[in-house]
Amino acid sequence: MSLPKPWVRGMEREIAHTDAVCSQIFQLLEAFPRFKDQVLDKIVADSNEQRGAATSPSRGIFILQGPAKMIQTVAMVTMKGTASSTAARLKPVSSRCKWVPADEFLEATKNIRHGIEGLKERMDSYEVHREYVAVVIIELPTGELTCQHTTGRGVPNVEDRGPWEFVLDHGKERASARPSFNYNGSITPQRVSPDRPVPDHIPKPDYYASGIPTAEREADARSTPPVLNEKQIKKMRKACRLGREIVDEVHRMIKPGITTDEIDRVVHDFTIENGAYPAPLHYFNFPKSVCTSVNEVVCHGIPDLYELQDGDIVNIDVSPILDGWHADLNETLLVGNNVSQEKKNLVKAAHDALMKAMGVCKPGVFYRDLGAVITKHVNGCGFSVDKTYCGHGVGEYFHCAPNIPHYAGNKAKFTMKVGHCFTIEPMINMGTWKDTHWPDCWTAVTKDGLPSAQFEHTMVVTEGGVENLTQRLSTSPPLWWEVEERADMPIGPGLASDDERLPKANMG
């Protein structure tokens, strides 16, 4: 018997909607990294209690079942919600979820005709403590059931305050799905949390609301390097000391499993607690308070859900604004105990190139000559200097004259004068010097996917050279070679005590 044509067309439309509907639900679950511990784990516990089973994590699947139109409505209502907490925002979804333990799997899925392939294997292999399996079952007009399934991952150590999405267009837009790109390195962009608030009592730059640093763009300092007086330098010292303390605070927390978003939280809170504003936040719409550049990321990495892995390197770039003056510094740190020797050499080469460039700075030196010093050292180590980004003047403005390229043969203007304040920040790549950008338009990555490392200091020109305003302190955590040097120092009668073996303050 043939079915009426309108009915057939309606069924075809229903089937055509299935992929889109399931994708909407899965993207919603992914957008809330606290979904597992705030919602699903409680559903499991309640189910186990009702069944008289153990309350510890158990294996099974979560099912959301219904007609496509109903599930689509649930997704739309949830997306338009305004609650920030996961439990409140996803109540339309969770109220219709059903937990099916592994021993009831066959009975619960026996009537599904399409899409069930691989579900049993997925349920048997996911990591119970960190992951979950979600299944969307669509009831077709024929009475048949079709499904799609996915493995989700919970991240319990991040803040529960709204949906996390992917960044687009320099931070002006967000997307629910990862944008397509030839990600040829070790990492891919992860979801980014909502912007962190800045209290009313913290002075904010003009770009906080607009995203455009109008005052900086219109300042004479954009074309002529400012000369700071002693009062202004004193304010720069305070801002730079705070910047150093922020980097050191992050250094102490670096370990495998920490998300780069957690680094952003620490930087943001530490900056605010000290009465300062984190300059990267909303600067040309950058969405976070610090740049976290992992492995092949050259610079401007956006903190997200990525969890640092043993063997990674990560650059931390901070810029607090204190009493109207900007600090700017960064360091590349090792994650865990299994960083390759080649990566460690890369980090050391970036640091030493900066130190050598600082060593030639003094009144009368051409800014263009720093690139040759850096390039000679870096090439001698077997690495290359990124040519896209440069050091810059800093002080009353985040970026101003002079521009300071890090490669040989550049045509930078100006010579150093007492009172000039600027950064040197060479980005050193393991392979090619060429870079490209992710679709967020901020994250610069090496063209060949090989690692990159960077160090940066803010300095002011003095009569005899430069004063390193962001220098490391006696309390600063040691860098990797300082750790090894300390381990090699002997201890015994008449030899260095443990306290004396701690790294001292230095230009690095």
Side-chain angles (χ1 to χ4, degrees), residues 235-300:
K235 290 185 176 183
M236 281 297 294
R237 288 192 186 104
K238 290 182 178 180
C240 289
R241 172 68 181 237
L242 176 59
R244 164 51 54 194
E245 291 172 350
I246 294 170
V247 169
D248 289 350
E249 187 71 12
V250 173
H251 193 161
R252 295 183 185 100
M253 67 178 284
I254 294 294
K255 64 180 180 180
I258 293 291
T259 63
T260 52
D261 181 81
E262 176 64 7
I263 295 173
D264 179 72
R265 185 195 66 77
V266 169
V267 169
H268 185 89
D269 290 351
F270 196 105
T271 305
I272 298 300
E273 288 166 4
N274 284 275
Y277 179 88
L281 184 62
H282 296 177
Y283 184 78
F284 288 107
N285 297 297
F286 189 81
K288 291 297 170 183
S289 298
V290 61
C291 297
T292 53
S293 302
V294 181
N295 294 340
E296 69 270 16
V297 179
V298 176
C299 61
H300 302 157

Side-chain angles (χ1 to χ4, degrees), residues 202-203 231-232 234-236 238-239 242 274-277 320-326 395-396:
I202 298 296
K231 183 178 179 180
Q232 293 169 327
K234 187 175 181 179
K235 290 185 176 183
M236 281 297 294
K238 290 182 178 180
L242 176 59
N274 284 275
Y277 179 88
I321 309 174
L322 183 63
D323 194 21
W325 293 83
H326 297 69
E396 190 177 0

Side-chain angles (χ1 to χ4, degrees), residues 56 66 76 81 95 102 105 128-129 207 232 255 260 263 284 353 433-434 445 448 465 508:
S56 59
M76 291 176 62
S95 63
F105 171 80
V128 174
H129 289 276
Y207 56 82
Q232 293 169 327
K255 64 180 180 180
T260 52
I263 295 173
F284 288 107
W433 65 265
K434 296 181 180 179
V445 294
D448 53 14

Side-chain angles (χ1 to χ4, degrees), residues 49-203:
E49 184 176 355
Q50 292 173 5
R51 298 169 66 244
T55 57
S56 59
S58 53
R59 192 167 294 280
I61 58 175
F62 292 94
I63 293 177
L64 175 63
Q65 180 172 340
K69 185 172 291 187
M70 182 275 284
I71 293 179
Q72 188 173 39
T73 300
V74 168
M76 291 176 62
V77 168
T78 305
M79 285 188 289
K80 292 180 179 179
T82 58
S84 59
S85 74
T86 297
R89 185 67 171 271
L90 293 181
K91 191 172 182 180
V93 175
S94 61
S95 63
R96 292 170 173 81
C97 278
K98 178 175 65 173
W99 162 250
V100 176
D103 56 7
E104 298 178 13
F105 171 80
L106 293 178
E107 180 64 25
T109 58
K110 66 180 181 180
N111 294 322
I112 300 177
R113 295 289 301 275
H114 307 286
I116 196 171
E117 297 83 5
L119 176 55
K120 180 64 166 61
E121 292 77 9
R122 187 188 294 275
M123 183 194 66
D124 291 339
S125 62
Y126 77 94
E127 183 184 343
V128 174
H129 289 276
R130 291 296 306 273
E131 298 176 326
Y132 60 89
V133 174
V135 185
V136 176
I137 301 177
I138 304 294
E139 299 172 354
L140 300 176
T142 59
E144 292 183 321
L145 303 179
T146 182
C147 81
Q148 290 192 24
H149 47 86
T150 189
T151 301
R153 185 171 179 85
V155 187
N157 60 340
V158 297
E159 292 178 281
D160 182 20
R161 53 184 188 86
W164 296 52
E165 298 178 296
F166 296 95
V167 172
L168 294 177
D169 193 14
H170 293 91
K172 289 187 287 188
E173 294 186 16
R174 298 288 191 275
S176 58
R178 180 181 291 111
S180 298
F181 184 76
N182 180 28
Y183 301 107
N184 65 346
S186 63
I187 62 173
T188 56
Q190 305 296 310
R191 292 177 180 272
V192 174
S193 66
D195 288 7
R196 290 188 159 84
V198 178
D200 292 340
H201 72 277
I202 298 296

Side-chain angles (χ1 to χ4, degrees), residues 17-67:
H17 287 162
T18 297
D19 287 352
V21 169
C22 292
S23 178
Q24 282 181 309
I25 294 296
F26 295 152
Q27 287 176 1
L28 269 175
L29 299 184
E30 291 175 2
F32 289 84
R34 300 300 301 275
F35 183 58
K36 182 182 186 302
D37 68 295
Q38 294 295 317
V39 178
L40 301 188
D41 286 353
K42 294 178 181 179
I43 294 176
V44 174
D46 291 344
S47 175
N48 285 339
E49 184 176 355
Q50 292 173 5
R51 298 169 66 244
T55 57
S56 59
S58 53
R59 192 167 294 280
I61 58 175
F62 292 94
I63 293 177
L64 175 63
Q65 180 172 340

